[in-house]
Amino acid sequence: MTNPIDFMGAAGSPYTRKMLAFMRYRQIPYRLHWSTGQVPEGFPKPKVALLPTYFLPDQSGDIQAVTDSTPLIRRFEKDFEGRSVIPTHPVLSFLNDLIEDYGDEWLTKAMFHYRWAHEADYKNAGPLLIFWGSSTIDDEMATAMSDHFSKRQIDRLYVVGSNETTAAIIEAAYARFVDILNDLTKKKGFVLGSRPSSADFAIYGQMTQLAIAEPTSAKITRDISARVRAWVDRVEDLSGLAPKEDDWFDLDIAGNALKPLLSEIGRTYTPVMLANAKAVMAGEKTFETIVDGARWAQPCFKYQAKTLGWIRDVYFNLSQKNQKQVDDILSGTGCEALLET
Ligand SMILES: N[C@@H](CCC(=O)N[C@@H](CS)C(=O)NCC(=O)O)C(=O)O
């Protein structure tokens, strides 16, 4: 590994914020390059332009552009000792994978929806996205770029499944989630106990936007829970936290504590992930399902079929005993369907 580690990201990118907070908590030395739309001089371009982009040595020591927060976190777990964000118990570790993916792949729908669906929010976000890239850009140019980018993003709302029918589902689900996170963090401070997991960082990344940047969802968050709103600021920098091995939930506590969150994941993320994966396997371009009694339709997203595959692989590689423990915890939440053969 290089020291410090170079990566490029943007303040308005939830996955950049996930990784920045992760690097701080893990006390991994880094250099963050704010993205201007191009890679910083001297660094390679990624195959797929995604933020954050890390610049990491390959086996022969050549620097490569690497993306995708979830596997990156697992790679750093191997390269840097201590302060792990992956629970030691395999069952808790499985639940962490699932909740992290819910944060990355479902909450991001709420994030994208609230950013671009309502006028007050897109008028706020458009200029921020330009100025997050550069403070010195001239006003006229900033307005033109903001208008252009906002139009492109508003036209892409359908890609994450946000439309007139689903808006109410996404918004009700977000409000329920804030309430659930309020009750959960009230117990021990984090999703899986009194130390943060990669699931906390995934949720945090989306919340840097939902709870702070977008006026409509920021107000909703604050109105439901000052605790959650404050949590987002705390998770930004957990470098001073001193985690202990027994700070993770015990398994018998985890089942009850996580029931409301897992039931929420069973209600929204689960039907969408399953219908998407099925349609991807069948070679379809779009899929439809029912979420909360309403029609959900969107283009297929191959990457989400892949993340569901990761979660299923983890489960099927657990011992019989651990699989049974997962089954007991997921029983009645709706998440069981994710693991059916
Ligand atoms: N699965 C990836 C997702 C990264 C991602 O989608 N990043 C967004 C910004 S938050 C992006 O770069 N989108 C492409 C674009 O804006 O052009 C991760 O976890 O890092």
Side-chain angles (χ1 to χ4, degrees), residues 12-15 18 49-52 67-70 104-105 152 303:
S13 149
Y15 305 96
K18 173 187 178 186
L50 285 178
L51 297 177
T67 60
D68 208 353
S69 60
T70 301
D104 285 345
E105 309 304 332
R152 188 187 95 167
Y303 176 77

Side-chain angles (χ1 to χ4, degrees), residues 19-333:
M19 292 307 285
L20 178 57
F22 163 79
M23 301 297 274
R24 287 173 168 165
Y25 170 64
R26 290 295 317 271
Q27 301 175 347
I28 299 173
Y30 65 85
R31 256 185 327 220
L32 170 59
H33 305 263
W34 291 126
S35 169
T36 57
Q38 273 159 15
V39 291
E41 223 183 299
F43 289 104
K45 273 193 193 157
K47 282 194 204 89
V48 186
L50 285 178
L51 297 177
T53 300
Y54 275 72
F55 304 103
L56 301 174
D58 62 15
Q59 303 223 323
S60 43
D62 296 332
I63 298 295
Q64 305 290 344
V66 188
T67 60
D68 208 353
S69 60
T70 301
L72 276 165
I73 286 179
R74 273 80 187 159
R75 176 170 174 180
F76 293 137
E77 282 286 311
K78 292 200 188 103
D79 289 329
F80 298 90
E81 248 180 79
R83 308 178 68 80
S84 172
V85 297
I86 308 291
T88 327
H89 196 292
V91 171
L92 216 53
S93 176
F94 168 81
L95 295 173
N96 177 54
D97 290 343
L98 174 60
I99 300 167
E100 179 175 2
D101 203 55
Y102 164 80
D104 285 345
E105 309 304 332
W106 172 269
L107 280 184
T108 201
K109 293 181 187 299
M111 186 259 130
F112 200 76
H113 166 80
Y114 274 117
R115 175 160 289 170
W116 301 113
H118 305 295
E119 189 177 356
D121 299 295
Y122 62 69
K123 289 214 155 138
N124 170 67
L128 286 183
L129 283 152
I130 305 307
F131 292 124
W132 273 322
S134 162
S135 299
T136 54
I137 199 156
D138 113 348
D139 289 343
E140 257 176 52
M141 172 75 106
T143 306
M145 285 170 72
S146 160
D147 290 350
H148 176 77
F149 190 69
S150 300
K151 183 176 179 326
R152 188 187 95 167
Q153 297 297 75
I154 293 163
D155 288 346
R156 288 171 59 82
L157 271 167
Y158 77 97
V159 172
V160 301
S162 162
N163 56 48
E164 272 172 30
T165 328
T166 58
I169 305 173
I170 297 171
E171 296 190 1
Y174 178 65
R176 288 195 304 272
F177 169 72
V178 174
D179 204 29
I180 291 166
L181 189 61
N182 176 77
D183 292 350
L184 192 50
T185 51
K186 191 175 176 178
K187 292 186 198 309
K188 295 273 186 189
F190 299 102
V191 170
L192 295 171
S194 46
R195 60 185 288 174
S197 61
S198 55
D200 288 279
F201 291 109
I203 290 169
Y204 160 81
Q206 304 297 328
M207 299 294 275
T208 58
Q209 312 304 312
L210 282 160
I212 300 175
E214 273 51 86
T216 302
S217 51
K219 180 169 186 326
I220 290 167
T221 313
R222 176 61 186 84
D223 286 351
I224 297 173
S225 172
R227 185 190 311 277
V228 165
R229 174 60 188 81
W231 181 88
V232 181
D233 294 323
R234 291 167 56 85
V235 178
E236 179 178 355
D237 195 330
L238 295 170
S239 55
L241 196 85
K244 294 189 298 303
E245 177 48 41
D246 62 358
D247 284 343
W248 299 116
F249 277 143
D250 285 335
L251 215 49
D252 49 339
I253 294 176
N256 277 333
L258 294 171
K259 202 63 119 194
L261 179 55
L262 293 171
S263 301
E264 183 57 32
I265 296 175
R267 185 166 168 178
T268 53
Y269 164 96
T270 300
V272 170
M273 291 295 282
L274 283 173
N276 175 64
K278 201 171 153 199
V280 168
M281 292 252 278
E284 311 282 352
K285 291 222 158 24
T286 59
F287 73 89
E288 265 190 51
T289 185
I290 303 289
V291 179
D292 246 1
R295 179 173 170 268
W296 184 285
Q298 69 164 88
C300 285
F301 193 7
K302 273 196 187 146
Y303 176 77
Q304 291 183 341
K306 188 161 120 182
T307 65
L308 177 58
W310 292 342
I311 289 166
R312 288 172 55 88
D313 285 349
V314 172
Y315 174 80
F316 289 110
N317 282 313
L318 290 174
S319 69
Q320 295 261 303
K321 182 181 164 202
N322 289 161
Q323 284 188 9
K324 170 83 174 59
Q325 287 168 316
V326 169
D327 295 346
D328 288 346
I329 291 174
L330 296 187
S331 168
T333 64

